[in-house]
């Protein structure tokens, strides 16, 4: 044994010399001949007992050729020529010759050791080495010394039947015990007769090689069935693993589809709810919620929808390449159903933002009108306060003519004042009506206030008319009113009204949406300021009249009140209101300038958004075109194509921060209530849709290449074949749009060597264009070519594998499944296999045929 481990040519030569010496010694050793006789006799009997007989002595029992022919029939499973039954010597010779002729007909040479025997020996040795490789203290290098400790035989048994022997308890120093244990178990449980004596193996310097090889070959044949069962079990496990993975993907698709559809179902009513809120704050909250939806809630759902489509396509490809029926999702959960639901979501969403913005504009208008109403109503109410009581006075009944005439002039001034306020009352009524039409939330209060103002106005008109009539009746009793008072009254009242109008205009609310609009207001205000010097001149003239009045009264040195009987406007009023006008002018200047600054800021927001959008929009379009072009033009290994697409995807994902920044600018624009932008044709909605489409397109394109890789690897398609398929498709994709029409597809097939009749072409078209679209996609083309060039497992192969595990029975038992398959896959089969009800059924019998057919969609199970 030591010399056999040497290296180099000298070591090998030494080993061969030792082998030759051993062979010569054995041929001269009577014990060796006895051992050979015993082993071969036992081997012959292991086969002959199947025919109900045996031999005791090889020379005598095979002499007439009868048992020799019977042995050959048992070994081969074939019938030999009918033997001669005579007892004469020539009968025996004839039978032996028939046996030898049969052996020769099978190509077996009966002299020397040829290449065939050497190959068989090497094959058996390799089998022993492979099976015993994991076992400690076992190193099978030959068929003599390697078996002396008995561990090799025990390892072979444990490898195939671990239930029969506990290898961990064996002792290398007990070779006779090990060999006897192996032979006893082999005889009892494996039907292998004892062909050796343990002492002969252990106590011989070099055990007989042919004897051990003959005995070990019985182990090989005994476990051949186990090897066959192992192969069958491996096939079944592979098929079941594919099915389990497919079922997992189906369940995952169903779950994700249900969740996405439920989210869409909950979201659409929210987007379709167009019930307006009463306040600007509430509508702003709705807009903020919608922004959160677009930025936070919807993008993950876009990814889920895209991933669902990818998962569905991948699953269908896996089913197709594993020869399984296509996956049919639950009702309402097809990819088309999800796409339809998503389209309804997009439709509901499309009008929602526009409605929100319109409602905000409406409420903004309402708030503006309501404030304007309150301002004008307050001004009018202040003016009208106490007027009715004055008009109801009958002071003229006890007045002098001069006083009555003064009352009449004063009344005329009031009528002029009343007429001047007519326009304001009409404005108040008009604003109230508009607030009603716009469904102002506090319209009832506005209506009540407006009605009171109108009723009071009507009452003032009536009372004014009555008082005029009363004063005119007594007009002849009045003295001529002092001309200066009259002149004051005539000039003071219009000027007073002008100041009131100016104050009202200076305090008037305004709403603008552009720089041009605010500049228009500033221009009007500047024009107003230009009239102030002229107004100041009129003011000084009126005050001068009052000074004249006072001078006249003083010149007559009379105790006459300086109060102007013809005017309700006092000098103090004129001074106070003029100061108020001068105070309001700079305030108006400031508010207009602040609004101008706000509009400039809005313009900067518009330009800032446009500058980014005008870059991002074309970038997205360019990337879409690059992806479309690459999907057609890419060549080389699929992994290289995948890497190129992954780089595209990486660049696209890294670009996301630009979209986020644009979203931030868009939010600033919306918060500033800017609704137009003349500097760009791109809206945020355009950018969002383009971005989502870009992400979806790159993901789908990557999925197509993944599917091609999956198809190639699963079907054994080489990269060279895949490149040929791609090159052929690209050549006949005339429009470079990823599609071939039927004529181009026919030409493509002919170029690849197909002999196409009409019936055959129609059959192929039903496979590649089942929906009759008139075009063939690259994926359909690849699927067809892989079906043409690759093998797939079938239901028949799985049925045959189960039949091996079932020992050729038409059914299988749960215990057999548990023994031959891993626990998880055994339980998978037990749970799904229907009971077997055919001939020879036993309790617990399972129908593996129907189960196997169902795996491939060939039954209703």
């Amino acid at each position: 044994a030591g010399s056999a481990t040497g290296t180099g040519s000298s070591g090998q030569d030494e080993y061969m010399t030792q082998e030759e010496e051993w062979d010569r010694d054995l041929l001269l050793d009577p014990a060796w001949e006895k051992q050979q006789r015993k082993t071969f006799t036992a081997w012959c009997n292991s086969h002959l007992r199947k025919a109900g007989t045996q031999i005791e002595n090889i020379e005598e029992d095979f002499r007439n050729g009868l048992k020799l022919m019977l042995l050959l029939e048992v070994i081969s499973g074939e019938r030999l020529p009918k033997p001669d039954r005579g007892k004469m010597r020539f009968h025996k010779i004839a039978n032996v010759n028939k046996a030898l002729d049969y052996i020769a007909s099978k190509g077996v040479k009966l002299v020397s050791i040829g290449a065939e025997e050497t190959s068989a020996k090497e094959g058996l040795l390799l089998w022993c080495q492979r099976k015993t490789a994991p076992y400690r203290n076992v190193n099978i290098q030959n068929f003599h010394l390697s078996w002396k400790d008995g561990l090799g035989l025990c390892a072979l048994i444990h490898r195939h039947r671990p239930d029969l022997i506990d290898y961990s308890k064996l002792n290398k120093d007990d070779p006779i015990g090990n060999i006897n244990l192996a032979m006893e178990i082999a005889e009892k449980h494996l039907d292998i007769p004892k062909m050796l004596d343990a002492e002969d193996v252990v106590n011989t310097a070099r055990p007989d090689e042919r004897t051990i090889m003959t005995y070990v070959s019985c182990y090989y044949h005994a476990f051949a069935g186990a090897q066959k069962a192992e192969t069958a079990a491996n096939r079944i496990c592979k098929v079941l693993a594919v099915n389990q993975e497919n079922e997992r993907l189906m369940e995952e698709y169903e779950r994700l589809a249900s969740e996405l559809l439920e989210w869409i179902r909950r979201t659409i009513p929210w987007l379709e709810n167009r019930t307006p809120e009463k306040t600007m704050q509430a509508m702003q909250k709705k807009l903020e919620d919608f922004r959160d939806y677009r930025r936070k809630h919807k993008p993950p759902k876009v990814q889920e929808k895209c991933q669902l489509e990818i998962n569905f396509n991948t699953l269908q490809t896996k089913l197709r390449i594993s020869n399984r029926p296509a996956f049919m999702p639950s009702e309402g959960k097809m990819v088309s159903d999800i796409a339809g639901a998503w389209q309804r979501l997009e439709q509901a969403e499309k009008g929602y933002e526009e409605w929100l913005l319109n409602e905000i504009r409406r409420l903004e208008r309402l708030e503006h009108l309501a404030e304007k109403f309150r301002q004008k109503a307050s001004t009018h109410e202040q003016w009208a306060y106490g007027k009715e009581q004055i008009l109801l006075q009958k002071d003229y009944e006890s007045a002098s003519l001069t006083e009555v005439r003064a009352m009449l002039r004063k009344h005329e001034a009031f009528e002029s004042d009343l007429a001047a306020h007519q326009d304001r009352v009409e404005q108040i009524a008009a604003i109230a009506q508009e607030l009603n039409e716009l469904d102002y939330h506090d319209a009832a209060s506005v209506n009540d206030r407006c009605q009171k103002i109108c009723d009071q106005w009507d009452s003032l008109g009536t009372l004014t008319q009555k008082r005029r009539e009363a004063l005119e009746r007594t007009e002849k009793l009045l003295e001529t009113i002092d001309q200066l008072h009259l002149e004051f009254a005539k000039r003071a009242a219009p000027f007073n009204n002008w100041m009131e109008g100016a104050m009202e205009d200076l305090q008037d609310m305004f709403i603008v949406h552009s720089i041009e609009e605010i500049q228009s207001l500033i221009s009007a205000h500047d024009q107003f300021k230009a009239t102030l010097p002229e107004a100041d001149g009129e003011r000084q003239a009126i005050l001068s009249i009052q000074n004249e009045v006072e001078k006249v009264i003083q010149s007559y040195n009379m105790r006459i009140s300086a109060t102007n009987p013809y005017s309700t406007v006092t000098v103090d009023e004129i001074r106070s209101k003029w100061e108020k006008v001068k105070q309001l002018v700079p305030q108006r200047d400031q508010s207009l300038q602040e609004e101008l600054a706000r509009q400039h800021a809005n313009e900067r927001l518009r330009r800032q958004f446009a500058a980014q959008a005008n870059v991002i929009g074309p970038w997205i379009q360019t990337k879409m075109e690059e992806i479309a072009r690459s999907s057609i033009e890419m060549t080389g290994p699929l992994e290289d194509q995948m890497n190129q697409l992954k780089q595209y995807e990486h660049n696209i994902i890294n670009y996301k921060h630009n979209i986020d920044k644009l979203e931030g600018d868009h939010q600033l624009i919306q918060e500033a209530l800017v609704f137009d932008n003349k500097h760009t044709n791109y809206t945020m909605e355009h950018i969002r849709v383009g971005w989502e489409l870009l992400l979806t397109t790159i993901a789908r394109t990557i999925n197509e290449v993944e599917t091609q890789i999956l198809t190639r690897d699963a079907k054994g398609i080489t990269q060279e074949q895949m490149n040929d398929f791609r090159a052929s498709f690209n050549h006949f994709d005339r429009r470079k749009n990823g599609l071939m029409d039927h004529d181009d597809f026919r030409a493509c097939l002919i170029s690849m060597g197909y002999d196409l009749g009409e019936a055959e072409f129609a059959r192929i078209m039903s496979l590649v264009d089942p929906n009759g679209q008139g075009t063939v996609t690259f994926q359909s083309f690849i699927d067809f070519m892989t079906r043409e060039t690759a093998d797939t497992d079938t239901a028949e192969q799985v049925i045959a594998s189960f039949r091996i595990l079932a020992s050729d029975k038409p059914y299988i038992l749960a215990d057999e499944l548990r023994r031959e398959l891993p626990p998880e896959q055994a339980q998978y089969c037990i749970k799904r296999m229907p009971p077997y009800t055919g001939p020879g059924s036993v309790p617990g019998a399972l129908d593996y045929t129907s189960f196997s057919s169902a795996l491939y969609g060939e039954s209703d199970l």
Side-chain angles (χ1 to χ4, degrees):
S3 63
T5 60
T7 58
S9 58
S10 61
Q12 183 68 20
D13 292 343
E14 181 182 353
Y15 173 77
M16 293 304 297
T17 301
Q18 183 67 61
E19 287 280 314
E20 291 170 359
E21 291 177 357
W22 277 338
D23 286 341
R24 284 194 298 270
D25 292 343
L26 288 173
L27 289 174
L28 300 174
D29 186 359
W32 173 81
E33 182 179 352
K34 177 182 177 183
Q35 181 64 53
Q36 286 279 310
R37 214 180 272 277
K38 176 180 179 182
T39 301
F40 187 63
T41 301
W43 180 83
C44 292
N45 285 335
S46 70
H47 293 288
L48 287 173
R49 65 186 173 191
K50 298 175 184 176
T53 185
Q54 62 178 16
I55 61 174
E56 298 293 338
N57 185 290
I58 292 177
E59 290 89 342
E60 296 299 326
D61 293 343
F62 278 162
R63 188 179 297 276
N64 61 8
L66 292 176
K67 289 190 177 181
L68 179 59
M69 292 179 69
L70 183 60
L71 174 64
L72 293 175
E73 286 183 345
V74 171
I75 293 173
S76 67
E78 298 179 3
R79 298 291 294 179
L80 270 67
K82 187 176 181 180
D84 292 353
R85 292 297 180 181
K87 295 183 180 181
M88 302 297 290
R89 184 172 182 273
F90 73 87
H91 292 130
K92 298 177 182 179
I93 293 174
N95 289 335
V96 171
N97 284 334
K98 289 177 183 179
L100 295 177
D101 289 343
Y102 177 79
I103 293 173
S105 72
K106 296 300 180 182
V108 178
K109 297 179 180 179
L110 298 179
V111 295
S112 76
I113 299 177
E116 294 86 354
E117 185 176 347
T118 301
S119 297
K121 174 183 175 181
E122 290 175 354
L124 182 61
L125 183 63
L126 182 62
W127 178 81
C128 294
Q129 290 171 337
R130 189 173 67 251
K131 293 298 182 181
T132 61
Y135 291 87
R136 58 181 176 83
N137 297 326
V138 178
N139 183 20
I140 304 299
Q141 297 297 325
N142 50 53
F143 283 111
H144 38 79
L145 300 179
S146 297
W147 304 87
K148 290 190 67 173
D149 58 11
L151 292 179
L153 295 174
C154 292
L156 285 177
I157 295 174
H158 184 269
R159 179 64 183 270
H160 295 92
R161 291 291 303 275
D163 56 310
L164 297 180
I165 196 168
D166 187 351
Y167 187 84
S168 64
K169 293 183 178 179
L170 299 181
N171 184 358
K172 182 178 178 63
D173 297 328
D174 184 16
I176 292 179
N178 295 337
I179 294 175
N180 284 330
L181 176 64
M183 289 194 296
E184 289 170 3
I185 291 175
E187 185 173 44
K188 181 178 180 181
H189 297 282
L190 305 177
D191 200 26
I192 298 175
K194 291 183 179 180
M195 301 181 185
L196 305 169
D197 288 327
E199 290 76 9
D200 292 340
V201 176
V202 174
N203 298 328
T204 302
R206 182 181 184 273
D208 178 54
E209 183 178 54
R210 291 178 182 81
T211 300
I212 292 179
M213 190 167 66
T214 300
Y215 184 62
V216 171
S217 69
C218 293
Y219 281 70
Y220 174 81
H221 292 296
F223 293 130
Q227 184 66 33
K228 190 176 181 182
E230 181 180 347
T231 301
N234 287 339
R235 175 183 288 277
I236 291 170
C237 288
K238 179 182 177 183
V239 170
L240 293 181
V242 169
N243 257 62
Q244 288 174 300
E245 174 63 13
N246 290 341
E247 287 180 5
R248 186 191 67 77
L249 292 175
M250 292 176 192
E251 291 171 359
E252 179 70 6
Y253 175 89
E254 290 280 339
R255 181 183 67 79
L256 291 177
S258 298
E259 291 176 357
L260 181 58
L261 287 170
E262 175 60 20
W263 178 82
I264 293 173
R265 185 192 66 77
R266 293 196 315 269
T267 304
I268 287 178
W270 173 66
L271 292 172
E272 290 178 339
N273 180 13
R274 307 297 163 87
T275 304
E277 299 293 341
K278 297 296 184 182
T279 65
M280 174 74 79
Q281 183 180 8
M283 286 306 297
Q284 288 283 10
K285 179 64 170 58
K286 276 184 178 287
L287 181 61
E288 184 62 31
D289 290 343
F290 181 71
R291 264 202 303 265
D292 285 345
Y293 157 79
R294 288 307 307 264
R295 285 165 36 206
K296 298 178 183 178
H297 304 305
K298 185 184 177 186
K301 299 303 178 183
V302 173
Q303 295 300 318
E304 287 180 19
K305 173 177 173 290
C306 178
Q307 194 60 47
L308 258 179
E309 295 175 7
I310 291 173
N311 289 355
F312 182 83
N313 293 335
T314 301
L315 174 58
Q316 297 293 40
T317 299
K318 286 187 173 184
L319 291 170
R320 188 165 55 249
I321 64 180
S322 61
N323 203 25
R324 304 303 197 276
F327 170 52
M328 182 62 65
S330 302
E331 184 176 356
K333 296 178 185 175
M334 294 287 291
V335 171
S336 58
D337 296 323
I338 295 171
W342 191 265
Q343 186 175 10
R344 292 192 294 275
L345 176 77
E346 296 276 10
Q347 191 63 33
E349 178 187 321
K350 184 177 180 182
Y352 188 65
E353 185 172 22
E354 182 179 357
W355 173 78
L356 282 172
L357 296 176
N358 287 336
E359 277 300 306
I360 289 175
R361 292 190 189 101
R362 184 182 71 82
L363 288 174
E364 183 185 30
R365 171 72 175 160
L366 278 176
E367 292 295 337
H368 173 71
L369 287 174
E371 182 59 31
K372 195 168 186 176
F373 174 84
R374 287 189 288 270
Q375 187 183 85
K376 290 186 178 294
S378 296
T379 301
H380 178 80
E381 288 165 347
Q382 290 172 7
W383 172 84
Y385 180 76
K387 294 291 193 294
E388 289 178 291
Q389 287 73 18
I390 294 174
L391 290 171
L392 288 170
Q393 288 178 357
K394 295 186 179 181
D395 48 354
Y396 53 83
E397 292 180 351
S398 59
S400 65
L401 179 60
T402 300
E403 292 172 333
V404 170
R405 287 182 180 252
M407 291 179 188
L408 183 58
R409 298 298 180 267
K410 184 176 180 180
H411 189 69
E412 288 175 350
F414 175 77
E415 286 179 322
S416 176
D417 195 16
L418 185 68
H421 286 79
Q422 174 72 32
D423 182 58
R424 182 192 293 139
V425 174
E426 291 175 354
Q427 288 181 18
I428 290 171
I431 293 173
Q433 182 178 353
E434 188 171 358
L435 286 171
N436 271 300
E437 292 172 353
L438 293 176
D439 194 23
Y440 181 56
H441 68 90
D442 199 17
S445 174
V446 169
N447 289 337
D448 289 344
R449 192 172 183 181
C450 181
Q451 188 61 47
K452 289 178 182 178
I453 290 173
C454 291
D455 291 345
Q456 185 189 46
W457 183 256
D458 292 341
S459 176
L460 287 174
T462 301
L463 293 174
T464 299
Q465 181 63 29
K466 289 181 178 180
R467 185 169 179 82
R468 164 172 277 283
E469 291 171 356
L471 289 173
E472 285 177 347
R473 285 194 299 269
T474 58
E475 183 179 7
K476 293 179 181 180
L477 302 175
L478 302 178
E479 292 277 337
T480 301
I481 299 173
D482 179 79
Q483 188 61 39
L484 289 173
H485 276 160
L486 185 58
E487 180 68 18
F488 179 92
K490 288 183 178 179
R491 298 182 71 168
F495 185 70
N496 183 62
N497 289 335
W498 176 86
M499 287 192 297
E500 288 184 348
M503 286 190 292
E504 188 172 346
D505 289 341
L506 288 169
Q507 297 177 89
D508 196 14
M509 304 287 293
F510 60 85
I511 178 171
V512 296
H513 296 95
S514 67
I515 293 175
E516 291 75 16
E517 290 177 359
I518 189 61
Q519 287 176 337
S520 176
L521 289 178
I522 291 173
S523 176
H525 183 61
D526 290 341
Q527 291 176 10
F528 167 77
K529 289 193 293 184
T531 67
L532 288 177
E534 181 181 350
D536 190 39
E538 179 68 9
R539 178 186 66 85
Q540 293 177 5
I542 293 171
L543 294 177
S544 176
I545 293 172
Q546 181 63 28
N547 290 336
E548 286 296 319
V549 170
E550 293 175 354
K551 287 178 181 179
V552 170
I553 293 174
Q554 290 175 0
S555 66
Y556 280 93
N557 196 22
M558 297 174 62
R559 296 183 60 162
I560 299 173
S561 172
T563 302
N564 191 330
Y566 307 124
S567 176
T568 59
V569 181
T570 67
V571 173
D572 290 340
E573 249 187 301
I574 290 175
R575 289 194 179 102
S576 173
K577 290 182 179 177
W578 181 255
E579 290 301 320
K580 182 67 174 176
V581 168
K582 290 197 298 181
Q583 179 185 357
L584 289 174
V585 167
Q587 291 178 2
R588 183 75 166 181
D589 280 334
Q590 181 179 354
S591 63
L592 289 172
Q593 289 303 319
E594 287 174 353
E595 180 60 29
L596 179 62
R598 190 175 75 87
Q599 290 302 327
H600 276 297
N602 289 350
E603 184 67 10
R604 285 193 296 273
L605 289 176
R606 291 186 182 97
R607 291 181 182 277
Q608 181 174 319
F609 177 87
Q612 294 183 83
N614 290 338
V615 172
I616 292 174
W619 185 88
I620 290 175
Q621 182 62 32
T622 299
K623 290 302 174 186
M624 288 290 293
E625 293 170 357
E626 288 178 0
I627 293 170
R629 199 162 50 245
S630 69
S631 66
I632 295 174
E633 297 176 356
M634 278 194 300
T635 58
L638 291 174
E639 285 74 14
D640 292 348
Q641 298 179 29
M642 176 65 72
N643 290 336
Q644 183 177 346
L645 289 172
K646 288 288 188 181
Q647 186 60 47
Y648 271 124
E649 184 181 44
H650 177 73
N651 293 340
I652 290 170
I653 291 173
N654 285 345
Y655 199 76
K656 176 66 162 56
H657 68 92
N658 294 296
I659 307 296
D660 294 338
K661 186 175 185 302
L662 191 65
E663 283 282 8
D665 290 344
H666 178 63
Q667 180 174 345
L668 293 176
I669 282 179
Q670 285 200 327
E671 289 171 351
L673 298 180
V674 176
F675 304 112
D676 62 316
N677 195 339
K678 64 184 179 182
H679 305 297
T680 181
N681 292 324
Y682 292 101
T683 66
M684 195 65 232
E685 181 64 21
H686 291 148
I687 299 297
R688 288 172 187 146
V689 171
W691 179 251
E692 291 171 3
L693 182 59
L694 179 62
L695 291 176
T696 301
T697 300
I698 187 62
R700 286 174 177 164
T701 305
I702 289 174
N703 178 245
E704 288 177 2
V705 177
E706 288 174 339
T707 300
Q708 293 175 34
I709 292 174
L710 185 64
T711 302
R712 180 198 66 191
D713 295 343
K715 297 296 186 180
I717 303 300
T718 66
Q719 183 63 52
E720 184 178 0
Q721 286 176 303
M722 191 64 76
N723 291 342
D724 289 342
F725 295 158
R726 167 58 81 178
S728 298
F729 184 90
N730 287 346
H731 178 77
F732 289 97
D733 177 10
R734 313 283 189 189
R735 299 177 182 82
K736 304 306 176 187
N737 62 351
L739 299 170
M740 288 192 291
D741 62 27
H742 286 192
D743 290 339
D744 289 338
F745 180 57
R746 181 194 292 270
C748 180
L749 291 180
I750 291 173
S751 74
M752 299 176 75
Y754 281 78
D755 182 14
L756 296 172
E758 288 303 320
E760 175 63 10
F761 184 67
R763 180 191 70 82
I764 294 174
M765 287 310 306
S766 69
L767 297 175
V768 298
D769 185 18
N771 297 322
Q773 300 295 316
T775 56
V776 179
T777 65
F778 181 66
Q779 188 58 50
S780 295
F781 177 68
I782 287 293
D783 290 341
F784 170 73
M785 294 308 300
T786 54
R787 282 196 296 269
E788 294 290 303
T789 57
D791 294 327
T792 59
D793 58 276
T794 64
E796 289 74 17
Q797 291 173 331
V798 178
I799 292 171
S801 297
F802 272 118
R803 184 176 293 113
I804 292 172
L805 301 188
S807 301
D808 213 32
K809 300 190 299 294
Y811 59 83
I812 195 166
L813 300 176
D815 288 344
E816 292 173 321
L817 289 169
R818 294 190 184 97
R819 184 179 71 237
E820 301 291 350
L821 299 178
E824 180 185 352
Q825 295 190 322
Q827 192 59 35
Y828 179 87
C829 294
I830 293 168
K831 183 177 179 181
R832 289 165 173 77
M833 276 189 185
Y836 174 75
T837 57
S841 176
V842 299
L846 300 174
D847 187 351
Y848 59 76
T849 300
S850 297
F851 172 77
S852 301
S853 299
L855 292 178
Y856 294 85
E858 298 171 11
S859 78
D860 295 331
L861 293 178

